[in-house]
Amino acid sequence: DAGVIQSPRHEVTEMGQEVTLRCKPISGHNSLFWYRQTMMRGLELLIYFNNNVPIDDSGMPEDRFSAKMPNASFSTLKIQPSEPRDSAVYFCATLLGAGVTGELFFGEGSRLTVL
Amino acid sequence: AQSVTQLDSQVPVFEEAPVELRCNYSSSVSVYLFWYVQYPNQGLQLLLKYLSGSTLVESINGFEAEFNKSQTSFHLRKPSVHISDTAEYFCAVSGRGSNYKLTFGKGTLLTVNP
């Protein structure tokens, strides 16, 4: 298996623009997580899906952020409008099962820079 | 809620020296504990985990960690490091009642010098 695939790997955009980050989970993994990594706050869980249903979005910073999982093989994280403070590395991670007692598999991340 | 404190943000060591990366956690419930490793420009990978049973857990590449409930610690150790161990190491905790939610520490950058 190719692992968790994220795109784009790097994105540079201007403040106010819409940003869409994409994730293809490992086939068969039914839990999907979006994390954000910054120097100041470290790794933060943004949202968790189980069987394509959002279970916990309490980590989504504000209404400018939205995430979808229309099917078991695809998820998006959208920021609209983007702001400089959104600059971070965004990771998608997936898990076989529903609990983290299993192993979380991370993608290589999408590095977002908002100017 | 859980929290994790990694006491050292950077640990430089020489090759073949022993190393300990410290991790303390706080939780009002029983926990699962994890160490993840992140190599440059990559995502995180699971290194080892404590779920139950023996408090000493080992990874396939020579790292070990010991769960100490009284000291609420889960320190990571390796008796002899290699240059290839250079990476950032993250301690993480999950409460057994909400076991999908991992709380990560801020990470410790281990740099192994020749």
Side-chain angles (χ1 to χ4, degrees), chain A residues 2-17:
Chain A
V4 177
I5 299 173
Q6 292 187 245
S7 64
R9 291 292 313 277
H10 301 273
E11 174 97 4
V12 179
T13 191
E14 293 190 346
M15 183 174 64
Q17 296 298 305

Side-chain angles (χ1 to χ4, degrees), chain A residues 9 33 35 37 40-43 45 48 56 58 91 98-104 106-108, chain B residues 32 34 36 38 41-46 49 51 88 90 94 98-102 104-106:
Chain A
R9 291 292 313 277
F33 305 77
Y35 284 90
Q37 185 180 37
M40 290 296 294
R41 291 200 292 268
L43 269 160
L45 176 64
Y48 160 59
D56 183 354
S58 60
F91 287 102
V100 293
T101 53
E103 179 175 352
L104 267 178
F106 283 76
E108 293 186 323
Chain B
Y32 301 123
F34 308 81
Y36 277 79
Q38 184 180 28
N41 299 314
Q42 294 187 25
L44 282 71
Q45 304 170 36
L46 180 65
K49 62 184 178 183
L51 303 181
E88 188 141 26
F90 293 88
S94 171
S98 56
N99 64 349
Y100 65 85
K101 188 172 267 190
L102 269 182
F104 286 89
K106 292 260 182 98

Side-chain angles (χ1 to χ4, degrees), chain B residues 1-78:
Chain B
Q2 290 75 44
S3 67
V4 177
T5 301
Q6 291 185 244
L7 296 159
D8 305 296
S9 60
Q10 297 187 49
V11 173
V13 296
F14 287 109
E15 194 173 18
E16 298 183 5
V19 71
E20 178 180 79
L21 307 184
R22 295 180 292 170
C23 172
N24 286 90
Y25 69 91
S26 171
S27 176
S28 58
V29 300
S30 297
V31 296
Y32 301 123
L33 291 158
F34 308 81
W35 277 97
Y36 277 79
V37 59
Q38 184 180 28
Y39 298 102
N41 299 314
Q42 294 187 25
L44 282 71
Q45 304 170 36
L46 180 65
L47 188 62
L48 47 76
K49 62 184 178 183
Y50 168 76
L51 303 181
S52 65
S54 173
T55 58
L56 184 66
V57 290
E58 299 177 351
S59 73
I60 58 172
N61 58 350
F63 283 93
E64 65 179 30
E66 186 159 22
F67 169 53
N68 188 319
K69 187 175 181 180
S70 63
Q71 296 188 11
T72 61
S73 68
F74 192 55
H75 301 331
L76 183 69
R77 302 183 182 96
K78 189 171 185 180

